[in-house]
Amino acid sequence: MKKGIHPENYRLVAFKDMSNDEVFITKSTADTKETITHEGVEYPVVKMEISRTSHPFYTGKSKLIDTAGRIDKFKNKYSKFAKETKTTEE
């Protein structure tokens, strides 16, 4: 390996999934100012909106997280472009 190109500040960091409060610990160089106590040990914490414990691909469950009503805003904005269905009488 080349010298001087790899980070030196690897440390244990807690990653917290904010949708289900799941916490997992791994080594990282991510910068953070917040800390969390997990199982009696204090770690720097990185907050995430979605992780392997809440992502539909890994859980097999479809979970809708709508922050700030984005889906409703989208539907209202583009509802005028919806195609009308025609009924055919035979």
Side-chain angles (χ1 to χ4, degrees):
M1 292 193 306
K2 290 186 178 180
K3 294 187 183 234
I5 63 169
H6 300 285
E8 299 290 330
N9 59 341
Y10 280 105
R11 68 203 187 288
L12 291 176
V13 176
F15 286 85
K16 183 175 182 179
D17 186 337
M18 299 307 289
S19 66
N20 63 5
D21 292 330
E22 184 75 26
V23 177
F24 61 94
I25 310 296
T26 188
K27 286 188 172 186
S28 177
T29 61
D31 290 329
T32 181
K33 295 182 189 317
E34 296 181 62
T35 60
I36 190 173
T37 302
H38 181 67
E39 297 179 353
V41 181
E42 189 171 354
Y43 297 102
V45 65
V46 175
K47 295 179 179 176
M48 306 180 307
E49 289 190 29
I50 196 163
S51 72
R52 62 181 170 75
T53 60
S54 62
H55 194 282
F57 179 81
Y58 297 107
T59 62
K61 298 176 186 172
S62 179
K63 183 177 179 181
L64 181 63
I65 301 171
D66 182 18
T67 56
R70 292 181 187 151
I71 294 172
D72 291 332
K73 288 179 186 177
F74 179 84
K75 286 181 180 179
N76 289 337
K77 184 175 181 179
Y78 293 102
S79 63
K80 60 186 172 189
F81 298 111
K83 293 183 180 180
E84 294 181 19
T85 58
K86 294 180 182 178
T87 59
T88 58
E89 295 179 18
E90 294 183 40

